[in-house]
Amino acid sequence: MSIVTGLHHVTAIAGDPQQNLDFYAGRLGMRLVKRSVNQDVPGTYHLFYADGAGHPGTDLTFFPWPDLPPGRQGVGHTVEVGLAVPEGSLAWWVDRLRDGGAALQATETRFGERALPFHDPHGLPVALVEAPERPDFTPWDGSPVPSERQIRGLHGVRLLERQLAPTATFLTDGLGFRLVTEENGWQRYAVGDGGSGQVLDLHVSPEQPRGEWGVGSVHHIAWRVPDDAAEHLAQRRILEAGRRPTEVIDRFWFKSVYFTEPGGALFEIATDGPGFGVDEAPDELGTALVLPPWLESQRAAIEAGLPPLRMPAAGAGTPTQAR
């Protein structure tokens, strides 16, 4: 039995925060549901994009560190983030992304799913994947993307590894994934019913160098558990599987345990609650800088050190609009 229910969020490293906001809110039409800071490095933003309600599993987040060099794709890293879009919508998205200057690749079929790979303005590998409707999606009325075309949430992630067995064994024995199928050298693992938001693809490439964090790379993958009890169970199972999980860390909107999988990619276990509505009304999500209570005493200094952000207009989102 799986001890995680699917993806909770994925966090990546961006460059200029305004360019990041212009692209993900203005071009991709995702809602900025939380405008906060990296709780471990509070001098930088932590921007959370999700569906209209900020549901766990729909959440792609960024640490904007524009002074970092570009990341390097390689083994021991997450090399692509998949975002779910409605079936039959990729042609529309091709036009929108091409108009926005994204670096598009050819549409392809993976495991029976149509996917459009591209790189965001800072080099992050992303794929829009056509997937069936999911019950945990709420449209964002303020999106520049029509509700029938909007991104539904996280679809899956792709990892590159030097060796298959250590990571595969940990996924199945430690986290309760199961191997579903294999195609073109990629193995697909899943939890739950294996639907959108519940899959991880694994590829072995022993000749590749080790990946490195930097602008345009994934920082970590967070997997969902429903509550505190499940979090502690997951922590224990991860320890029993030979990994070294952290203590439970209170992130205010959820609780977290961090660890590296055997290949080196950073994973997190995150609780579904209390959620982003604990400190903002539903119609105010993402409109102001919010801090967890333990950082409120530093608000003046934090705000003084952050660059201002403006919400993009409906036609924003091109790489040339960064300031």
Side-chain angles (χ1 to χ4, degrees):
M1 179 180 295
S2 61
I3 58 172
V4 299
T5 60
L7 284 162
H8 185 282
H9 65 269
V10 174
T11 295
I13 300 172
D16 179 79
Q18 183 64 55
Q19 187 175 9
N20 178 262
L21 179 59
D22 285 347
F23 186 77
Y24 282 93
R27 181 58 54 178
L28 291 190
M30 301 178 76
R31 185 180 185 187
L32 180 67
V33 295
K34 198 61 60 178
R35 185 188 309 219
S36 191
V37 296
N38 183 317
Q39 293 180 17
D40 302 313
V41 189
T44 190
Y45 279 114
H46 192 177
L47 304 177
F48 297 72
Y49 304 95
D51 72 349
H55 286 123
T58 70
D59 193 10
L60 179 59
T61 92
F62 289 90
F63 300 142
W65 279 319
D67 293 334
L68 285 185
R72 183 174 71 186
Q73 299 298 307
V75 296
H77 272 242
T78 303
V79 295
E80 186 185 85
V81 182
L83 300 174
V85 295
E87 293 176 317
S89 67
L90 279 190
W92 185 90
W93 276 105
V94 167
D95 291 340
R96 182 167 180 82
L97 288 171
R98 184 182 292 123
D99 290 345
L104 298 181
Q105 298 170 247
T107 300
E108 57 188 71
T109 300
R110 308 168 173 176
F111 301 109
E113 302 164 337
R114 295 182 71 240
L116 173 63
F118 67 94
H119 289 82
D120 83 355
H122 297 143
L124 180 70
V126 182
L128 300 183
V129 184
E130 291 187 344
E133 294 293 324
R134 45 196 290 175
D136 60 348
F137 168 72
T138 298
W140 175 32
D141 292 340
S143 176
V145 174
S147 60
E148 68 272 14
R149 308 287 192 190
Q150 287 180 22
I151 291 168
R152 271 30 186 174
L154 297 170
H155 181 72
V157 291
R158 304 198 118 188
L159 271 68
L160 201 63
E161 300 287 8
R162 181 158 286 138
Q163 296 179 302
L164 174 65
T167 296
T169 299
F170 174 74
L171 289 173
T172 54
D173 295 352
L175 296 183
F177 280 78
R178 66 185 184 281
L179 176 62
V180 177
T181 187
E182 185 172 0
E183 178 182 271
N184 297 326
W186 287 92
Q187 287 191 348
R188 171 155 289 188
Y189 292 81
V191 294
D193 61 9
S196 184
Q198 297 178 309
V199 296
L200 176 154
D201 296 342
L202 209 57
H203 184 74
V204 176
S205 187
E207 74 284 357
Q208 291 282 341
R210 184 161 189 83
E212 294 182 356
W213 279 339
V215 173
S217 67
V218 171
H219 187 270
H220 65 270
I221 307 165
W223 301 100
R224 296 175 64 176
V225 290
D227 52 33
D228 290 354
E231 176 100 85
H232 287 287
L233 173 62
Q235 183 188 44
R236 186 168 66 251
R237 289 278 298 275
I238 291 162
L239 185 62
E240 292 170 351
R243 309 315 299 161
R244 300 177 65 181
T246 66
E247 296 300 314
V248 175
I249 300 173
D250 186 355
R251 295 303 191 189
F252 193 58
W253 308 293
F254 45 84
K255 293 180 181 177
S256 301
V257 168
Y258 299 89
F259 60 98
T260 56
E261 54 83 21
L266 182 60
F267 280 11
E268 174 185 351
I269 306 294
T271 58
D272 281 348
F276 294 129
V278 70
D279 56 355
E280 290 183 292
D283 60 346
E284 295 176 351
L285 293 177
T287 58
L289 180 71
V290 295
L291 302 174
W294 52 88
L295 289 178
E296 277 295 342
S297 63
Q298 303 175 46
R299 176 174 284 276
I302 289 171
E303 289 183 335
L306 293 172
L309 289 177
R310 65 183 185 277
M311 288 303 297
T318 70
T320 57
Q321 290 176 320
R323 60 176 185 175

